[in-house]
């Protein structure tokens, strides 16, 4: 059993998503003894922007396909995901490998995987908030993984982290408690 652990925050030790993704990986490891963790840090070891030459390199998509569980630290930056994470998604959405078009429409080929998104954002973007339409981070990730055939997508979220230190700490504790509920 392989867990692919990805981070994309540029905030180093102050990163909320790194705390959450590590909690999620620790919990998933505990429920899967003997599993191995493959680490990919997109901030310290970035994948370059997509280029025509990059088509030939299948390392990143093969690593994604080989993992049973994928944990992704995904901060909201300017209402979307970090560009480092977008560069990774550009490598895993590969026609013929992770999706294909049929006469009935698109078909995801990467099903059977569990994806856990460690999400953090400064404000609040729930469906009942005025900012809901600005959420191009979680909605985007849910749609991308759905398109690739992944139906088991769980969000472990810290919201409102920019509302002061107390709010940040409370949001992190809530997310860590949510991570403890991750099991099979
Ligand atoms: C470059 C940048 C852009 C951000 N843009 C947004 C934003 O559009 N909306 C928001 O609610 N918070 C925004 N934030 C706040 C982050 O989402 C928040 O600090 C979160 O903790 C980031 O995750 P991290 O701590 O793992 O980096 C931004 C932060 C940075 C550094």
């Amino acid at each position: 059993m392989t867990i692919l652990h990805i981070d994309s925050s540029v905030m180093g030790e102050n990163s909320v998503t790194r705390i959450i993704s590590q909690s999620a990986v620790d919990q998933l490891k505990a429920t899967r003894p003997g599993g191995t963790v493959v680490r990919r840090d997109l901030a310290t070891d970035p994948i370059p922007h997509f280029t025509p030459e990059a088509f030939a390199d299948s390392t990143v998509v093969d690593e994604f396909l080989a993992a049973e569980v994928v944990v992704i630290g995904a901060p909201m930056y300017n209402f979307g995901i970090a560009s480092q994470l977008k560069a990774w998604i550009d490598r895993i959405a590969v026609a013929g490998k992770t999706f294909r078009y049929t006469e009935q429409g698109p078909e995801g080929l990467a099903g059977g995987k569990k994806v856990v998104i460690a999400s953090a954002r400064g404000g609040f973007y729930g469906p009942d908030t005025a900012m809901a339409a600005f959420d191009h981070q979680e909605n985007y990730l849910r749609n991308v993984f759905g398109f690739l055939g992944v139906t088991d997508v769980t969000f472990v979220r810290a919201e409102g982290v920019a509302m002061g230190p107390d709010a940040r700490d409370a949001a992190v504790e809530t997310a860590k408690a949510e991570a403890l509920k991750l099991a099979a």
Side-chain angles (χ1 to χ4, degrees):
M1 212 277 308
T2 302
I3 301 171
L4 175 58
H5 180 188
I6 295 173
D7 273 312
S8 58
S9 168
V10 298
M11 299 304 282
E13 287 183 0
N14 294 319
S15 160
V16 172
T17 55
R18 284 173 186 270
I19 295 171
I20 303 170
S21 73
Q22 189 61 58
S23 294
V25 168
D26 290 347
Q27 174 64 14
L28 290 162
K29 251 178 16 190
T31 56
R32 292 169 170 77
T36 55
V37 178
V38 174
R39 189 80 172 95
R40 190 173 271 283
D41 192 326
L42 298 169
T44 60
D45 193 9
I47 294 172
H49 276 164
F50 206 38
T51 61
E53 294 74 36
F55 272 118
D57 183 1
S58 71
T59 312
V60 175
V61 67
D62 289 347
E63 183 181 77
F64 169 69
L65 284 170
E68 276 104 327
V69 183
V70 184
V71 176
I72 305 173
M76 176 185 273
Y77 289 162
N78 300 311
F79 310 113
I81 59 170
S83 57
Q84 289 89 340
L85 182 56
K86 178 61 167 55
W88 180 81
I89 287 173
D90 288 342
R91 305 300 177 95
I92 65 155
V94 180
K97 281 209 166 201
T98 49
F99 72 93
R100 68 178 171 194
Y101 282 99
T102 70
E103 284 177 6
Q104 286 75 44
E107 181 188 2
L109 302 175
K113 235 180 253 314
K114 180 179 189 66
V115 171
V116 176
I117 309 285
S119 166
R121 44 246 198 136
F124 294 92
Y125 297 85
D128 53 345
T129 65
M131 295 299 285
F134 287 73
D135 178 4
H136 304 292
Q137 171 220 13
E138 290 193 9
N139 282 335
Y140 171 73
L141 292 168
R142 188 180 289 108
N143 287 329
V144 166
F145 285 109
F147 182 81
L148 301 182
V150 183
T151 52
D152 185 355
V153 182
T154 305
F155 288 85
V156 182
R157 176 185 308 114
E159 278 199 304
V161 302
M163 309 286 175
D166 291 349
R168 179 187 187 277
D169 291 350
V172 170
E173 288 312 311
T174 301
K176 282 164 88 172
E178 283 300 308
L180 284 178
K181 295 181 191 161
L182 292 169

